Amino acid sequence: MKRPIGVTLISYLSIFGIAALISTTFFFNQIANKFGFAEKLGLSDFPEELFRVLLAIVTLIVIYGYMNLKPWGFWLMVSYCISLGTISYLIILSNNKRLFIGNFVWSSIVFIYSIAIHKSFFNEKHTQKIKFVK
């Protein structure tokens, strides 16, 4: 069985998001500091750039497991979606930041899709190594 197309699409879009996160961190520092993700999570003393790099590393680990259809990748992605969706929803409610509506919607879509195809992650003979398109 091949990897579901949705898993591939979600993974590549997440990698694109990580690239955008890293580029805004290092090349567009004014934009990165405007949003202040660490501060919104209650980590006001934590350096914003370090927080973004750690978030990118954690997300890459999640994507690796998700792309390889590993059970731990499924659970990490579900946890990631729940936490990102909850945080985005709370920011929308408390600060009326419309920018985070997209994060909430995307997290909801990925969560629902992941639950719908969960059987792909728990069949040992269907787990596979990452094969990038050539």
Side-chain angles (χ1 to χ4, degrees):
M1 179 178 179
K2 296 172 72 175
R3 178 185 325 128
I5 189 73
V7 170
T8 303
L9 180 65
I10 289 167
S11 299
Y12 283 135
L13 287 173
S14 296
I15 291 170
F16 175 74
I18 291 170
L21 179 72
I22 294 297
S23 67
T24 59
T25 300
F26 294 115
F27 302 115
F28 304 103
N29 199 20
Q30 299 268 336
I31 296 171
N33 290 332
K34 180 180 174 185
F35 297 114
F37 292 119
E39 184 178 334
K40 286 185 176 45
L41 295 176
L43 303 170
S44 57
D45 294 335
F46 203 81
E48 181 69 24
E49 292 82 9
L50 179 59
F51 180 78
R52 288 170 170 261
V53 169
L54 291 175
L55 181 63
I57 291 169
V58 167
T59 305
L60 280 174
I61 292 168
V62 171
I63 292 169
Y64 175 79
Y66 194 73
M67 269 186 114
N68 285 321
L69 301 177
K70 302 288 185 186
W72 60 266
F74 168 79
W75 289 115
L76 284 178
M77 182 60 84
V78 167
S79 301
Y80 183 79
C81 289
I82 290 171
S83 60
L84 182 64
T86 302
I87 291 167
S88 297
Y89 185 71
L90 292 174
I91 290 172
I92 292 167
L93 289 179
S94 65
N95 298 330
N96 197 17
K97 299 277 185 178
R98 293 186 181 152
L99 178 66
F100 289 91
I101 292 174
N103 285 348
F104 176 72
V105 170
W106 177 251
S107 296
S108 301
I109 291 169
V110 172
F111 176 75
I112 292 167
Y113 179 77
S114 297
I115 296 298
I117 62 151
H118 73 279
K119 291 181 183 176
S120 298
F121 293 92
F122 297 103
N123 191 347
E124 273 303 310
K125 64 181 176 180
H126 292 148
T127 58
Q128 56 188 13
K129 295 287 181 193
I130 295 175
K131 294 178 185 172
F132 290 100
V133 178
K134 293 182 182 178

